[in-house]
């Protein structure tokens, strides 16, 4: 029971990989997708409720989230019509995120993604994105909103790592201590 939240995060990693085996935006895709989404909420909730929050659990959750996002980009990119501007913007966000992860590794000798409100907001919008594809191609306004929120979240996390003397994995924002 002590590590059930960790097992849920590990299961999400494997489930995310199964998304490449099914047709994008099919019933099977969305069943797996929703199970991944529910598991993302459940692992943290269970860890808090059972008082089994751990550094390993936080890392597993972050790695599972990262795997999920990377797989979704690979699956969904061919389906949507992105402008060059959006593609460049997404690449820049990815570079900021990568630099932030490298900084964490150099400063703290570990892997970590902070659980800020802006990171959670980005995750929520990213989770909703494939659902919107069922109804229509996303318009540029939605793409801009997603990129703006993701940019704020990436820059905020980078600034927190840059200015912090110790790793604060559960810091809620740059304004909160």
């Amino acid at each position: 029971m002590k590590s059930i939240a960790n097992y849920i995060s590990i299961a999400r990693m494997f489930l995310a990989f199964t998304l490449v085996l099914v047709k994008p935006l099919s019933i099977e895709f969305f069943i797996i997708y929703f199970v991944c989404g529910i598991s993302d909420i459940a692992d943290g909730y269970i860890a808090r409720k059972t008082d089994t929050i751990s550094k390993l659990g936080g890392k597993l959750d972050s790695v599972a989230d990262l795997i999920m996002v990377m797989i979704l980009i690979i699956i969904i990119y061919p389906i949507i019509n992105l402008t060059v501007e959006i593609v460049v913007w997404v690449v820049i966000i990815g570079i900021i995120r990568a630099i932030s992860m490298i900084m964490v590794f150099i400063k703290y000798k570990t892997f970590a993604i902070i659980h800020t409100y802006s990171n959670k907001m980005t995750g929520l919008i990213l989770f909703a994105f494939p659902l919107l594809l069922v109804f229509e191609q996303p318009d540029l306004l939605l793409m801009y909103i997603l990129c703006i929120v993701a940019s704020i979240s990436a820059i905020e996390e980078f600034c927190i790592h840059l200015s912090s003397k110790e790793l604060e994995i559960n810091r809620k924002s740059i304004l909160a201590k």
Side-chain angles (χ1 to χ4, degrees), residues 58 61-62 113-117 119-120 169-172:
D61 181 56
S62 293
I113 297 173
I114 301 177
H115 301 136
T116 61
Y117 291 133
N119 274 346
K120 290 177 188 273
I169 196 75
N170 290 315
R171 186 160 172 186
K172 299 304 178 200

Side-chain angles (χ1 to χ4, degrees), residues 8 79 101 110 112 172:
I8 292 171
I79 297 172
M101 286 183 220
T110 191
K172 299 304 178 200

Side-chain angles (χ1 to χ4, degrees), residues 133-150:
L133 291 175
V134 172
F135 302 106
E136 64 181 80
Q137 278 289 331
D139 63 0
L140 276 179
L141 178 61
L142 176 63
M143 301 297 285
Y144 282 122
I145 291 169
L146 178 56
C147 286
I148 289 168
V149 172

Side-chain angles (χ1 to χ4, degrees), residues 82-87 89-90 93 125 129 138-152:
L82 296 177
T83 64
V84 173
E85 179 182 64
I86 297 292
V87 172
W89 199 345
V90 169
I93 294 167
I125 295 170
F129 191 79
D139 63 0
L140 276 179
L141 178 61
L142 176 63
M143 301 297 285
Y144 282 122
I145 291 169
L146 178 56
C147 286
I148 289 168
V149 172
S151 296
I152 291 168

